[in-house]
Amino acid sequence: MDAVIVAARDAQVAVGEVVQPGADEARIAVLRGALQRAFGATLPDDYAALLRRSDGVDFDGLVLYGSAQSEAAPGPGGFWQGLIAANRLWREGPGHDAYLVLGETDMDLFTVNLDGTAPVLRDKVSSDVNERFPSVAEALQKLLSTRG
């Protein structure tokens, strides 16, 4: 997965996009606790690995949420889509409280069960499952490798 993350970052830099720096272990630990308190959710280890390399991604129609960003405290380039902030917004509508939203594409939400398992792409409007993945790492590989 690391090579795909690096390639996606390189593609962002090549077109002048802002790349988010990686999150440190302390920030990831704070996020794990915040997700548990706010939503009863577990951060998948494979997603934490992504955050260590890039604390959020916004590139070519793909947004992978970061560790702590919000509209009030955005990251570089104005990136505000942190996991807590984004999931609070998604939960304002019906039907999104049974899973954790890790990111989104133009058409889909990238979600896992609250225990961090069963990654899928869901239609943003209907929440129907469009694609299932055996692991978060494999989902990230596919999402990142189809960009740029």
Side-chain angles (χ1 to χ4, degrees):
M1 179 172 74
D2 203 45
V4 174
I5 295 169
V6 170
R9 288 174 60 95
D10 289 348
Q12 280 186 272
V13 170
V15 296
E17 294 280 333
V18 174
V19 175
Q20 303 300 309
D24 62 23
E25 291 304 320
R27 194 166 188 165
I28 291 171
V30 168
L31 173 62
R32 287 183 192 278
L35 287 171
Q36 192 58 232
R37 286 187 303 279
F39 311 116
T42 300
L43 180 70
D45 289 338
D46 290 338
Y47 202 83
L50 166 76
L51 294 175
R52 287 182 193 96
R53 291 296 257 149
S54 185
D55 193 2
V57 172
D58 184 359
F59 183 59
D60 198 20
L62 172 67
V63 177
L64 298 172
Y65 303 147
S67 66
Q69 300 90 338
S70 67
E71 288 184 84
F79 183 83
W80 68 267
Q81 296 97 325
L83 280 159
I84 299 293
N87 274 273
R88 282 191 177 130
L89 285 174
W90 282 115
R91 280 165 170 71
E92 288 177 3
H96 295 294
D97 56 350
Y99 44 80
L100 181 67
V101 183
L102 299 176
E104 60 190 276
T105 69
D106 297 333
M107 303 294 291
D108 295 311
L109 297 177
F110 172 36
T111 71
V112 292
N113 291 343
L114 293 177
D115 66 0
T117 64
V120 299
L121 290 179
R122 297 178 181 275
D123 183 87
K124 276 186 173 177
V125 176
S126 70
S127 294
D128 291 343
V129 173
N130 291 328
E131 189 168 359
R132 297 178 191 279
F133 300 93
S135 69
V136 170
E138 289 184 51
L140 289 169
Q141 289 243 159
K142 178 177 182 188
L143 289 167
L144 289 167
S145 66
T146 59
R147 299 299 184 267

